[in-house]
DNA sequence: AAAAAGCATTGATGCAGATCAATGCTTTTC
DNA sequence: GAAAAGCATTGATCTGCATCAATGCTTTTT
């Protein structure tokens, strides 16, 4: 039920069995069917979500009604609209399931209580966000300063697991490209190697 | 000496006068002259840096020798190569002073000791990185899904203070544009309004 | 004070990626 | 099992930004 989450936690901050039991009290398991929403634009993001199983995407909807994907989350990854969660403001992101999912949710009250009562949780969250920040910064640099071909290769190497499970046009959206361009990038690169 | 830093800290996590005194023990003031390096690519990033006065930029140098600016920091802002600081790996970023600066440095040992002894510091750092993450995410979305004109306006509104102190070609680099394009964006927009 | 370097602007040209459109394959739906 | 929807690919055209080049202004250097 909590295996993936606890493994992720232990990798950053080792826990004793008693601590694991204590921590579990604050966690809410949830199942989500493919295409169901975890969060909709305009609602307040009430949980931080860790993926035990399945896959989700976070996205904005633009004027034309197109989805602009900002993030994917697979097993062991965390997803939420952090701005909405921390400031308790309406979310700008939508999050929904790409596959049937098993999730672990941490509510805002649980989060606050854990921070007070269980310092290791604060350490875990700090490390989680730090890692996310570093990854995002790399993404900014790649986006602004690499060619599309280089970005594709970089992204492919970093997130191979995503490529095998997510339709290509969503990868294109995530990279800020049209599906046609991504298709051409792929054929260009496969020709080369 | 520590006014700006302590104000920033108090805004996120209020401190008693005693706590302020305690905290100061761990802070190292440093002055930096215009054009001097705070961090050079290849060195390990030994400090988190808060700007009391002045301005700095962080950047990569590409194959052609051009600077690709990834961040600016003005009074009250924080700057570092977080990946290098936390993993103790060689930095990929250079950081140098755009103006004469007064800085507050927190070394890695001071950081670790503060985390252990002073929980409010952990809270402060967590909030700092969370805010940075949210801002960076917005930047990614803007970069991938807005037109250049819209990005310029968004960036201008968000970071007006930068525009007044940083040469235009550095803003262009930060936005991933050529100086010529940014100049044209500006004349286009000033014509409109 | 003169020379040099740094910077913003404007024009001309070329190319990368968006858009529009058509086709065929695969998966889902009923 | 037929119809519909979703998806990847390929071609043709258009557009926005980079690049190259020249000019004049401002700041720094000596």
């Amino acid at each position: 039920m909590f295996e993936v989450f606890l493994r992720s936690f232990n990798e950053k901050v080792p826990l004793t069995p008693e601590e694991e039991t204590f921590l579990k009290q604050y966690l809410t398991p949830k199942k989500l069917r493919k295409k169901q929403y975890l969060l909709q634009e305009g609602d307040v993001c009430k949980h931080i979500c860790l993926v035990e199983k399945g896959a989700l995407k976070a996205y904005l909807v633009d004027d034309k009604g197109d989805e602009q994907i900002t993030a994917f989350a697979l097993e062991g990854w965390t997803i939420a609209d952090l701005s909405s969660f921390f400031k308790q403001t309406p979310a700008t992101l939508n999050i929904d399931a790409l596959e049937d999912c098993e999730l672990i949710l941490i509510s805002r009250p649980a989060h606050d209580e854990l921070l007070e009562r269980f310092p290791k949780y604060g350490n875990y969250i700090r490390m989680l966000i730090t890692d996310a920040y570093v990854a995002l910064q790399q993404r900014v640099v790649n986006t602004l300063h690499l060619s599309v071909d280089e970005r594709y290769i970089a992204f492919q190497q970093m997130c191979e697991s995503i490529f095998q499970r997510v339709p290509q046009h969503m990868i294109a959206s995530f990279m800020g490209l049209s599906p046609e361009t991504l298709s051409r990038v792929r054929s260009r690169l496969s020709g080369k190697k």
Side-chain angles (χ1 to χ4, degrees), chain A:
Chain A
M1 200 76 165
F2 302 102
E3 297 79 27
V4 177
F5 174 74
L6 291 174
R7 201 180 314 138
S8 151
F9 202 117
N10 272 291
E11 272 171 24
K12 295 196 193 303
V13 188
L15 294 169
T16 65
E18 300 76 48
E19 286 172 335
E20 288 196 2
T21 308
F22 173 79
L23 186 56
K24 280 181 191 172
Q25 298 179 311
Y26 292 93
L27 307 178
T28 313
K30 179 176 172 105
K31 296 202 179 197
L32 207 64
R33 283 286 172 77
K34 186 172 175 171
K35 296 197 177 179
Q36 282 189 315
Y37 284 108
L38 178 67
L39 175 68
Q40 290 192 71
E41 188 184 343
D43 294 348
V44 172
C45 178
K46 294 204 159 45
H47 307 92
I48 295 176
C49 167
L50 186 124
V51 184
E52 282 280 321
K53 201 167 177 319
L56 304 96
K57 67 176 195 291
Y59 59 97
L60 301 160
V61 178
D62 68 17
D63 325 322
K64 295 182 211 145
D66 292 343
E67 293 186 2
Q68 300 171 341
I69 297 177
T70 64
F72 296 106
L74 304 183
E75 285 83 9
W77 299 22
T78 304
I79 195 163
D81 185 328
L82 286 189
S83 173
S84 171
F85 181 79
F86 284 114
K87 298 181 195 160
Q88 298 285 100
T89 52
T92 57
L93 290 178
N94 299 278
I95 302 177
D96 64 23
L98 294 169
E99 309 169 0
D100 292 352
C101 288
E102 293 175 23
L103 310 172
I104 307 287
L105 303 184
I106 302 172
S107 71
R108 186 64 198 275
H111 172 83
D112 290 339
E113 221 173 295
L114 277 168
L115 281 179
E116 270 193 28
R117 297 200 190 163
F118 189 45
K120 281 188 179 179
Y121 177 77
N123 293 336
Y124 172 70
I125 290 289
R126 201 184 56 249
M127 292 181 188
L128 203 66
I129 298 182
T130 303
D131 288 354
Y133 178 84
V134 168
L136 199 58
Q137 200 166 48
Q138 190 58 54
R139 192 175 156 202
V140 170
V141 169
N142 288 350
T143 302
L144 292 178
H145 301 294
L146 292 186
S147 74
V148 168
D149 289 17
E150 290 169 321
R151 276 165 63 201
Y152 179 79
I153 293 169
F155 179 44
Q156 197 180 30
Q157 285 172 347
M158 192 125 78
C159 306
E160 231 202 305
S161 46
I162 289 179
F163 274 72
Q164 288 147 14
R165 285 166 68 174
V166 172
Q168 206 169 296
H169 72 275
M170 291 189 186
I171 311 257
S173 168
F174 178 78
M175 293 183 69
L177 298 177
S178 67
E180 293 93 333
T181 297
L182 186 62
S183 171
R184 283 184 249 262
V185 168
R186 283 164 54 86
S187 71
R188 206 181 319 166
L189 290 176
S190 73
K192 268 192 199 157
K193 274 241 161 171

